[in-house]
């Protein structure tokens, strides 16, 4: 230990590139969410592509990264403020707020998928089923007047987790493709079950009661200074809170011994086992916690769109969730956010593409896998305590 | 202190289909001993490590460690008993940092609960700091210049650094028995010497680490082992000091027969 030279004091990156990015993204988000004409949307998309290229070529991308690494919690806070600011700016418009909320819920779902796929390497092709399990839980519990809707969200997660128990044994015992096939089968079974089950509304589906919190019904429009806001403001704010909470939890999970175990299991099960890591326990934790997150997000989604049917939770939706992880970057939370935005926004904003949406995503995923195999915003090396590295 | 051997194989046998990789292999390892396990290619050296660490079940025979039978124990149980290994073909997680790779060797002994990992971040921090110091000290011993680069991905390091990191990962849990499977592959003579000195350094600091080393470099075997066991086609053909086995006619024959 005597021959170690202490590293020279490294100048910490400033926070300005980070803050500038947050502000730019928020402004951009507001612009694209409120854009209505195709040419506006296409123009904004072109702008995004140009800005990305310039950012990469000029090295600004790297300074943003450094800035984020040095001031992570502050910049995460700024991002949260940014989202709330966008909600405020859109506060009277139903449709953009609905889209933003959906994006936030898909972002939340991508965080759950990331635990399974990105960290632990377990592909889950039944994401939509577990999301749907949460939504159906919300529909059923909406009829139980005394049950607090906030707890319904938790219950949605619990039901989804309970359903995954059915799959745990086949999934933990089999590996690779077999486990993937098991989840495909489950997703298809789940949808078929909903379609034939009369109590759950059959193919027509069910109504879902709205969220109520402290006596406040989320269907009511908030009034501020005589201005009537869209009731979706309620949902957008709650979705933001949920996404933020799950984000913090998943971040901490990644930056813990449990997260390290997940990586070890993904990269080399045999070596992991030789160092006492329980491969089974790690996989079960990843599968259950990921599905719980999907269930919670699904429950809130059901309440928000107020009507659900089996056709909202198909295999293609599951594929979309997997592709979010691939697009954003395996194990990259912010990548999931970007991917969720792309996956939700593009088909909604470019209606003429609606019919080709799956073609579009396939092409996009293939392009990303070819040219940016680590995803649009690749995962960074694990830093357990960012901004406060162990004394060096 | 008991006089029973630390490790004992009795008639250990492994068949892969028609191939008998290990054939009634019996041997023992004394406490604190450094044993060379040598033999031509395909003679069953790696297979005996794989049986010992629970990667493959034995076809027949028994393994005892510290008086306990551990035949067909799971890799986890073997690790918990204090046996760790390196792999002939390096098995690090290339996209993870040096620190993460080394910690894989130790985290199963740290907090496992969700609460302790996610919520009680202050006590997690204390665990992190202590383990960081431990990992860094090891890296400082084996590759001083990497001690300040603990958060760089292992995939960017040259092969010989990876081998050193893999040994750090094995040593970080302060094991009782270290299994080295060709640790010096790809290293020059001087690098190998340095590596062995570093391993012995760490061993001298601890409490009587025993080592079994598989190695083709006979100079290394001669210098560091107390005793050698020679395998050929899965059978033990010699057991004794390096000088004894090197002069053994059957051993010379086995090596010449292959080369
Ligand atoms: N998983 C396996 N499946 C089938 N055969 C195997 C397997 N592992 C080892 N063998 C066979 O068992 C025999 C012994 O192999 P082993 O890897 O133990 O040899 P080794 O002494 O480590 O050789 P080397 O010096 O080349 O590393 C060989 O014939 C090998 O082909
Ligand atoms: Mg071998």
């Amino acid at each position: 230990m005597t021959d170690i030279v202490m590293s020279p004091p490294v100048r910490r990156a400033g926070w300005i590139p980070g803050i500038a990015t947050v502000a730019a993204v928020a402004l951009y988000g507001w612009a694209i969410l409120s854009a209505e004409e195709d040419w506006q949307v296409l123009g904004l998309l072109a702008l995004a592509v140009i800005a990305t290229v310039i950012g990469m070529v000029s090295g600004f991308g790297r300074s943003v990264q450094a800035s984020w690494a040095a001031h992570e919690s502050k910049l995460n806070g700024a991002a949260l403020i940014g989202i709330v600011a966008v909600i405020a700016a859109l506060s009277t418009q139903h449709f953009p707020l609905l889209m933003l909320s959906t994006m936030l819920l898909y972002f939340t779902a991508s965080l759950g998928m990331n635990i399974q796929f990105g960290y632990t390497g377990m592909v889950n092709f039944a994401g939509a089923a577990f999301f749907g399990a949460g939504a159906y839980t919300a529909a059923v519990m909406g009829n139980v007047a005394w049950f607090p809707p906030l707890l319904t969200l938790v219950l949605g997660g619990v039901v989804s987790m309970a359903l995954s128990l059915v799959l745990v044994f086949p999934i933990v015992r089999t590996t690779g493709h077999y486990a993937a096939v098991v989840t495909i089968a489950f997703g298809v079974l789940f949808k078929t079950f909903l379609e034939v089950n009369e109590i759950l509304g059959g193919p027509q589906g069910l109504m879902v009661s709205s969220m109520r919190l402290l006596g406040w019904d989320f269907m009511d429009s908030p009034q501020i200074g005589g201005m009537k806001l869209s009731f979706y403001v309620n949902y957008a704010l709650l979705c933001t809170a949920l996404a933020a909470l799950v984000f913090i939890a998943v971040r901490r999970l990644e930056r813990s011994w449990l997260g390290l175990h997940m990586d070890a299991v993904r990269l080399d099960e045999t070596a992991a086992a030789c160092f006492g890591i329980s491969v089974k326990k790690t996989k079960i934790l990843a599968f259950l916690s990921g599905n719980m997150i999907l269930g919670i997000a699904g429950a809130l989604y059901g309440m928000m769109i107020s009507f659900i049917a089996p056709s909202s939770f198909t295999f293609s939706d599951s594929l979309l969730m997997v592709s979010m992880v691939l697009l954003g970057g395996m194990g990259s939370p912010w990548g999931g956010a970007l991917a969720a935005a792309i996956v939700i926004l593009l088909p909604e904003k470019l209606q003429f593409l609606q019919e080709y949406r799956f073609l579009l995503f396939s092409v996009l995923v293939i392009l990303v896998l070819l040219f940016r195999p680590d995803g649009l915003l690749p995962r960074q090396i694990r830093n357990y305590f960012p901004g406060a590295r162990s004394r060096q | 202190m008991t006089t029973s051997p630390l490790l004992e194989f009795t008639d250990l046998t492994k068949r892969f289909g028609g191939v008998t990789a290990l054939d009634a292999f019996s041997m023992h390892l004394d406490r604190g001993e450094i044993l060379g396990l040598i033999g031509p290619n395909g003679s069953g050296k790696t297979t005996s490590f794989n049986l010992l660490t629970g990667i493959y079940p034995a076809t027949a025979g028994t393994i005892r460690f510290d008086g306990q039978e551990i035949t067909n124990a799971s890799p986890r149980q073997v690790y918990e008993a204090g046996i760790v290994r390196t792999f002939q073909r390096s098995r690090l997680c290339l996209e993870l940092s040096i620190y993460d790779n080394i910690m894989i060797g130790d985290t199963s002994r740290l907090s496992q609960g969700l609460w302790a990992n996610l919520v009680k971040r202050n006590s997690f921090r204390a665990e992190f700091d202590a383990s960081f110091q431990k990992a860094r000290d090891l890296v400082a011993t084996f590759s001083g210049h990497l001690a300040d680069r603990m958060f760089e991905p292992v995939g960017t390091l040259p092969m010989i650094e990876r081998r050193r990191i893999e040994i750090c990962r094995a040593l970080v849990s302060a094991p009782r028995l270290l299994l080295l499977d060709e640790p010096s592959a790809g290293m020059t003579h001087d690098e190998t010497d340095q590596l062995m000195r570093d391993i012995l350094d760490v061993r001298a600091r601890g409490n009587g680490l025993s080592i079994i080393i598989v190695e083709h470099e006979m100079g290394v075997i001669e210098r560091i082992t107390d005793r050698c066991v020679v395998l050929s086609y899965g059978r033990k053909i010699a057991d004794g000091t390096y000088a004894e086995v090197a002069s053994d006619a059957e051993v010379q024959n086995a090596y010449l027969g292959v080369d």
Side-chain angles (χ1 to χ4, degrees):
Chain A
M1 256 232 62
T2 44
D3 56 340
I4 301 165
V5 198
M6 291 310 256
S7 52
V10 186
R11 241 173 66 93
R12 275 175 110 212
W15 48 268
I16 293 180
I19 285 283
T21 307
V22 170
V25 170
L27 195 65
Y28 185 88
W30 166 79
I32 198 157
L33 280 165
S34 34
E36 278 170 2
E37 304 295 331
D38 282 349
W39 66 266
Q40 294 173 325
V41 176
L42 288 173
L44 283 167
L45 289 178
L47 181 67
V49 172
I50 294 169
T52 308
V53 171
I54 292 178
M56 279 167 68
V57 173
S58 67
F60 184 69
R62 240 164 297 127
S63 29
V64 174
Q65 227 172 55
S67 170
W68 214 281
H71 307 276
E72 200 190 275
S73 45
K74 273 183 216 124
L75 289 173
N76 283 343
L80 186 63
I81 294 171
I83 297 174
V84 174
V86 173
I87 295 173
L90 297 169
S91 60
T92 55
Q93 297 166 267
H94 285 319
F95 191 60
L97 280 175
L98 174 62
M99 250 189 316
L100 178 60
S101 309
T102 311
M103 269 160 49
L104 287 163
L105 290 177
Y106 267 65
F107 168 40
T108 309
S110 83
L111 291 168
M113 297 288 285
N114 243 328
I115 298 178
Q116 302 172 337
F117 188 25
Y119 299 149
T120 320
M122 309 162 75
V123 208
N124 177 1
F125 283 114
F130 293 108
F131 195 74
Y136 271 87
T137 307
V140 171
M141 293 315 288
N143 301 324
V144 186
W146 56 267
F147 199 80
L150 199 59
L151 276 189
T152 300
L153 296 188
V154 178
L155 191 67
V158 171
V159 166
S160 170
M161 203 161 70
L163 271 183
S164 25
L165 282 177
V166 178
L167 290 190
V168 150
F169 291 99
I171 282 201
V172 168
R173 269 159 200 279
T174 56
T175 49
H177 307 309
Y178 295 105
V181 171
V182 169
T183 62
I184 294 177
F186 177 80
V188 173
L189 268 175
F190 178 80
K191 183 166 175 269
T192 316
F193 169 77
L194 293 179
E195 276 166 351
V196 299
N197 190 309
E198 287 307 319
I199 303 167
L200 293 178
Q204 274 75 48
L206 287 175
M207 297 289 295
V208 190
S209 330
S210 55
M211 185 59 164
R212 273 171 290 114
L213 205 59
L214 306 168
W216 172 255
D217 192 319
F218 272 39
M219 288 306 283
D220 294 339
S221 304
Q223 304 254 3
I224 289 182
M227 197 166 62
K228 201 164 165 239
L229 307 183
S230 162
F231 73 92
Y232 281 120
V233 166
N234 303 317
Y235 282 107
L237 289 174
L238 187 58
C239 293
T240 307
L242 177 66
L245 217 66
V246 173
F247 180 86
I248 292 170
V250 172
R251 267 290 197 215
R252 285 191 175 188
L253 178 69
E254 187 217 337
R255 292 163 176 177
S256 75
W257 307 138
L258 299 174
L260 180 56
H261 290 179
M262 290 177 178
D263 279 323
V265 166
R266 178 182 85 255
L267 295 166
D268 192 336
E269 275 187 30
T270 306
C274 282
F275 290 102
I277 294 171
S278 169
V279 175
K280 256 187 218 162
K281 231 169 72 187
T282 304
K283 284 187 173 178
I284 292 174
L285 172 67
F287 195 62
L288 293 191
S289 61
N291 287 340
M292 173 153 186
I293 291 172
L294 286 169
I296 295 174
L300 185 52
Y301 179 76
M303 292 177 182
M304 182 174 78
I305 63 170
S306 75
F307 182 81
I308 54 171
S311 57
S312 330
F313 310 107
T314 63
F315 180 59
S316 332
D317 296 297
S318 295
L319 277 182
L320 214 63
M321 290 186 181
V322 173
S323 69
M324 277 197 300
V325 177
L326 288 173
L327 268 183
M330 296 265 278
S332 158
W334 284 120
L338 178 60
I342 292 174
V343 161
I344 300 299
L345 267 179
L346 279 194
E348 289 296 345
K349 280 294 168 186
L350 300 173
Q351 288 292 334
F352 62 92
L353 278 177
Q354 196 54 286
E355 286 178 47
Y356 305 103
R357 63 189 271 208
F358 286 109
L359 179 70
L360 179 76
F361 291 133
S362 321
V363 172
L364 204 60
V365 169
I366 290 170
L367 284 180
V368 166
L369 289 181
L370 275 179
F371 296 107
R372 238 180 123 77
D374 293 331
L376 294 171
L377 291 175
R379 177 181 177 186
Q380 302 297 303
I381 205 121
R382 177 184 284 98
N383 187 351
Y384 292 81
F385 295 96
R389 264 198 189 167
S390 191
R391 54 209 125 84
Q392 279 185 30
Chain B
M1 188 138 140
T2 47
T3 49
S4 70
L6 180 66
L7 177 75
E8 204 171 6
F9 290 171
T10 313
D11 292 330
L12 197 62
T13 302
K14 178 67 188 175
R15 278 186 215 98
F16 294 105
V19 181
T20 303
L22 269 188
D23 191 359
F25 178 29
S26 297
M27 68 128 195
H28 73 277
L29 173 78
D30 288 326
R31 288 160 202 273
E33 193 176 25
I34 301 183
L35 180 85
L37 184 58
I38 57 181
N41 290 112
S43 57
K45 305 178 298 288
T46 299
T47 300
S48 54
F49 280 5
N50 285 341
L51 296 190
L52 174 54
T53 52
I55 291 180
Y56 296 136
T59 309
T62 56
I63 304 172
R64 292 179 78 81
F65 182 72
D66 199 15
Q68 302 281 326
E69 175 159 357
I70 58 160
T71 326
N72 300 338
S74 71
R76 241 183 111 197
Q77 290 165 328
V78 173
Y79 169 85
E80 277 159 11
I83 304 176
V84 295
R85 67 178 291 180
T86 65
F87 296 88
Q88 183 169 0
R89 230 181 296 142
S90 165
R91 296 186 86 141
L92 290 172
C93 302
L94 298 186
E95 42 193 277
L96 302 186
S97 64
I98 297 176
Y99 173 74
D100 278 358
N101 271 286
I102 294 176
M103 284 315 291
I104 284 174
D106 209 27
T107 47
S108 61
R109 298 136 60 88
L110 301 175
S111 299
Q112 303 293 304
L114 268 176
W115 191 260
N117 272 277
L118 267 60
V119 184
K120 292 180 69 185
R121 290 296 276 187
N122 279 336
S123 57
F124 178 79
R125 172 91 212 209
E127 270 189 13
F128 171 83
D129 283 340
S131 68
F132 182 82
Q133 203 49 51
K134 212 160 59 160
R136 194 172 185 277
D137 286 351
L138 272 171
V139 172
T141 304
F142 283 89
S143 302
H145 69 112
L146 293 181
D148 288 320
R149 294 162 56 188
M150 295 290 282
F151 290 95
E152 283 181 25
V154 161
T156 58
L157 302 178
M159 205 59 209
I160 56 169
E161 296 294 4
R162 293 186 200 170
R163 293 210 160 267
R164 294 182 178 128
I165 301 296
E166 214 179 335
I167 292 171
C168 294
R169 175 174 75 177
L171 287 173
V172 69
S173 59
R176 302 177 62 193
L177 171 58
L178 171 66
L179 310 173
L180 295 167
D181 200 344
E182 298 194 28
S184 74
M187 293 189 185
T188 65
H189 190 79
D190 288 346
E191 287 162 345
T192 308
D193 263 1
Q194 187 57 49
L195 179 72
M196 295 304 152
R197 246 177 284 140
D198 295 338
I199 293 174
L200 295 182
D201 260 10
V202 173
R203 178 166 173 269
R205 275 183 241 154
N207 36 8
L209 171 71
S210 306
I211 300 176
I212 303 181
I213 176 170
V214 169
E215 181 59 63
H216 283 296
E217 188 76 47
M218 287 308 143
V220 173
I221 293 289
E222 180 173 13
R223 250 170 292 129
I224 76 163
T225 61
D226 301 315
R227 190 161 58 88
C228 293
V229 166
V230 189
L231 284 173
S232 173
Y233 295 107
R235 283 187 316 106
K236 183 168 92 173
I237 58 169
D239 187 336
T241 63
Y242 178 78
E244 285 164 13
V245 301
S247 57
D248 186 289
E250 201 179 348
V251 173
Q252 289 174 354
N253 205 11
Y255 271 94
L256 291 176
V258 170
D259 290 335

